[in-house]
Amino acid sequence: MSPLKVSSRSNPNSVAGALVAVIREQGYAEIQAVGAGALNQAIKAIAIARGFVAPSGGDLVCAPAFTDIEINGEGRTALKLLIERKERK
Amino acid sequence: MSPLKVSSRSNPNSVAGALVAVIREQGYAEIQAVGAGALNQAIKAIAIARGFVAPSGGDLVCAPAFTDIEINGEGRTALKLLIERKERK
């Protein structure tokens, strides 16, 4: 599945819902965010999604990485967030 | 230990170094960021820190959460990032 693309105008609650649905389906999710505003909405969404899975005893963690993408023919650096269930100790 | 406070003017490389040092000492680290610019630097720092621990076979994950703080007597919502070593499956 291609990464969820989050922008600075994305609604963190909606992104959180999508995130949980994708993780339920394939075990993990990927978010791509370009710029500080987009990343802010993405991280808020993950904080909210943690609340969605908490009642069933789950938790989510994310691993950020840099990734090079192309927007309108120009190279940009985006942040890619890999979100998965937290492994039990 | 109190959380590392990251601002929009923080250098992600320096924060990454501090992060790895704190995690080495106490097993986890906490970052507090107020605003999109600060959060951007914090997440970049975590991406860089993952590169610092990768050569020894380690990896880091972060769990974001909202937290209420007070700045100059005004209530603000900050993001708190708990960073720890990734548990092996």
Side-chain angles (χ1 to χ4, degrees):
Chain A
M1 206 178 281
S2 54
L4 298 168
K5 286 178 187 168
V6 174
S7 86
S8 58
R9 291 181 305 276
S10 298
N11 178 324
N13 268 299
S14 311
V15 176
L19 205 53
V20 171
V22 171
I23 292 172
R24 196 166 291 151
E25 196 183 324
Q26 65 178 17
Y28 68 94
E30 229 178 84
I31 288 180
Q32 184 180 292
V34 183
L39 184 66
N40 195 33
Q41 301 306 80
I43 298 293
K44 282 185 196 167
I46 299 171
I48 294 166
R50 289 183 70 203
F52 290 170
V53 301
S56 56
D59 198 1
L60 302 176
V61 290
C62 89
F66 296 103
T67 182
D68 293 321
I69 60 166
E70 206 173 283
I71 299 179
N72 302 327
E74 262 183 74
R76 294 284 300 271
T77 298
L79 274 158
K80 194 173 65 177
L81 306 167
L82 174 71
I83 302 105
E84 47 187 17
R85 290 179 183 284
K86 183 174 181 175
E87 299 299 325
R88 299 272 148 209
K89 294 188 188 184
Chain B
M1 204 179 282
S2 54
L4 298 169
K5 287 179 187 168
V6 173
S7 85
S8 57
R9 291 180 304 276
S10 298
N11 177 325
N13 267 300
S14 311
V15 176
L19 205 53
V20 171
V22 171
I23 292 171
R24 197 167 290 152
E25 196 184 321
Q26 65 179 17
Y28 68 94
E30 229 178 83
I31 287 180
Q32 183 180 293
V34 182
L39 184 65
N40 195 34
Q41 300 307 79
I43 298 293
K44 282 184 196 167
I46 299 170
I48 294 166
R50 288 183 71 202
F52 289 171
V53 301
S56 57
D59 198 1
L60 302 176
V61 290
C62 88
F66 297 102
T67 182
D68 294 320
I69 60 166
E70 206 173 283
I71 299 179
N72 302 329
E74 261 183 75
R76 293 285 300 269
T77 298
L79 274 158
K80 193 174 66 177
L81 305 167
L82 174 72
I83 302 106
E84 46 187 17
R85 289 181 184 284
K86 184 175 180 174
E87 300 299 327
R88 298 274 150 209
K89 294 188 189 187

